[in-house]
Amino acid sequence: MSYTHRVLTFVEAFDLPTTVNLPTAARAFAVSLGTAYRLVRQGDFPCPVLRVGGQYRVPTTWLLRSLGIENLPVYATDIDAGATASALLTRAETEQEETP
């Protein structure tokens, strides 16, 4: 059986809840779930992990900091709007340069 996991995207990272489970944190660091559990047991997971009842939980703030992402209120819609505005400005500048 081959195991493939999908890495957490930048947009998904900004839509995370206050805490995430270990499978989600493992995706963020692009490691398999088995490796994540092993790293937690060894105390070597890339960010602090909390044990809550029978579950491992990772506060999203710690996760993002460990990934080098500042905890800023950025939403996927903001990213899309910025990309759209940038494309419009680039097109307007190009058209202005082409006009004699």
Side-chain angles (χ1 to χ4, degrees), residues 5-20 23-30 60 63-64 67 69 71-72 74-77 79-80:
H5 59 280
R6 193 172 59 82
V7 177
L8 195 69
T9 67
F10 186 75
V11 173
E12 289 172 326
F14 281 104
D15 284 336
L16 292 173
T18 305
T19 64
V20 297
T24 302
R27 279 184 54 214
F29 290 109
T60 301
L63 175 69
L64 294 177
L67 291 168
I69 301 171
N71 189 17
L72 301 173
V74 176
Y75 302 95
T77 54
I79 294 169
D80 290 340

Side-chain angles (χ1 to χ4, degrees), residues 32-82:
S32 71
L33 188 54
T35 299
Y37 278 109
R38 181 175 48 78
L39 291 171
V40 169
R41 284 193 304 274
Q42 295 172 341
D44 292 329
F45 198 73
C47 68
V49 178
L50 304 173
R51 180 80 179 196
V52 180
Q55 295 184 6
Y56 289 115
R57 301 296 296 178
V58 177
T60 301
T61 302
W62 296 351
L63 175 69
L64 294 177
R65 281 188 192 142
S66 295
L67 291 168
I69 301 171
E70 290 295 321
N71 189 17
L72 301 173
V74 176
Y75 302 95
T77 54
D78 294 335
I79 294 169
D80 290 340

